[in-house]
Amino acid sequence: MNPTVGIAVFLTVLQATHCQMVKELSACLLGQSLRLDCRYENKTSNPLTYEFSLAKDNRKHIIHSTIGVSENAYRSRANVVMEKNLVCLFLQSFTTSDEGVYMCELKATNDYTGSQTKNITVIKDKLEKCAGFSLLIQNTSWLLLLLLSLPLLQAVDFVSL
């Protein structure tokens, strides 16, 4: 085998093991805003690119993206927050005209295995309200600290009596 071909095959196999994998896409209402949580498994240190889009009226509408260009109708209403293993889209002033099939597409920079996508159908009347702790649960160290400190708080309360 030609050494150049061998190196190319090795790099291709190595690169294929370093992709982002979308694990889950969920939707909920936060006040008057739609929140889409796109959870993924991080298998690389390469920068992550994303695209949130809406399929309706036989068209793909890009809401917020680092891959493509967002549509003017959504630019002022859309905001994205990135945390470890989570890309979260907030779409303000969500109405029934925003209903449809939403897609989260993730791609790692220099990842030649392609992008990962998940779809979810969003209907306003069927959406649940977002749980108060859902964003905080992403980083559970605060919860562990709280649970461990409860006996101390009870002890301080007991001593003050």
Side-chain angles (χ1 to χ4, degrees), residues 107-119:
K107 182 171 178 22
T109 304
N110 298 325
D111 183 354
Y112 304 107
T113 60
S115 57
Q116 294 282 315
T117 62
K118 284 275 188 196
N119 297 331

Side-chain angles (χ1 to χ4, degrees), residues 23 35 52 70 90 92:
K23 294 172 70 175
R35 189 178 94 202
F52 285 96
S70 304
F90 294 91
Q92 299 172 1

Side-chain angles (χ1 to χ4, degrees), residues 119-161:
N119 297 331
I120 187 169
T121 300
V122 175
I123 299 172
K124 186 173 183 180
D125 291 340
K126 296 190 178 192
L127 281 174
E128 294 184 18
K129 297 214 182 289
C130 299
F133 291 109
S134 60
L135 278 180
L136 297 175
I137 294 297
Q138 301 305 313
N139 183 359
T140 55
S141 59
W142 70 271
L143 183 59
L144 181 60
L145 182 62
L146 176 67
L147 291 173
L148 291 174
S149 63
L150 279 176
L152 294 174
L153 293 173
Q154 290 173 344
V156 169
D157 190 36
F158 179 74
V159 171
S160 64
L161 293 176

Side-chain angles (χ1 to χ4, degrees), residues 3 23 33 41-42 106 156:
K23 294 172 70 175
S33 296
E41 183 179 342
N42 191 6
L106 301 179
V156 169

